[in-house]
Amino acid sequence: MTAARQKWSAEVTEHSDAMDLEDHIFESDDAKKIAASLKRSAEHSHRRKAEPFQSAMSMLNFYINRAGKNLPATRRRVLERAKDELRVAFGREKED
């Protein structure tokens, strides 16, 4: 894989109208911490175009999708739980 291809998602995150994220937040094992950080970032970001909930959930999905098959099952479970925690943080209903 070329260096440019490996850095594609980092470039999107850094230079697009994506939110400003806490460093290494997706590496946390605490789904509530991930959700709280995404919520905080979404509410304070001047780079987002959508509503805070949509921006936060989109960034979480973006990370999960970019990792694809390389994302270990344990990490995927934490990130999927973070989606539920994000819904709770924004007063939305959890999905079953």
Side-chain angles (χ1 to χ4, degrees):
M1 194 179 289
T2 67
R5 185 169 171 91
Q6 288 176 340
K7 296 180 183 180
W8 180 86
S9 59
E11 286 293 316
V12 168
T13 303
E14 201 172 311
H15 298 293
S16 74
D17 286 324
M19 300 181 315
D20 299 314
L21 299 174
E22 180 181 334
D23 289 340
H24 307 287
I25 189 56
F26 295 117
E27 295 171 13
S28 173
D29 290 328
D30 185 343
K32 280 189 176 185
K33 180 180 176 183
I34 295 169
S37 178
L38 286 170
K39 183 176 192 270
R40 201 169 34 254
S41 294
E43 291 175 338
H44 293 99
S45 179
H46 299 288
R47 296 173 61 203
R48 65 175 168 78
K49 290 183 178 180
E51 292 300 312
F53 173 75
Q54 184 180 355
S55 293
M57 189 62 75
S58 292
M59 187 56 70
L60 184 51
N61 280 317
F62 174 76
Y63 182 82
I64 292 168
N65 291 339
R66 287 306 302 155
K69 293 176 184 174
N70 296 325
L71 190 62
T74 54
R75 175 103 324 258
R76 182 174 297 276
R77 280 193 295 276
V78 170
L79 296 173
E80 291 295 334
R81 281 196 316 269
K83 287 182 185 182
D84 288 336
E85 294 297 338
L86 194 57
R87 288 181 187 98
V88 170
F90 277 101
R92 310 272 176 123
E93 297 216 7
K94 282 187 181 182
E95 287 187 0
D96 293 330

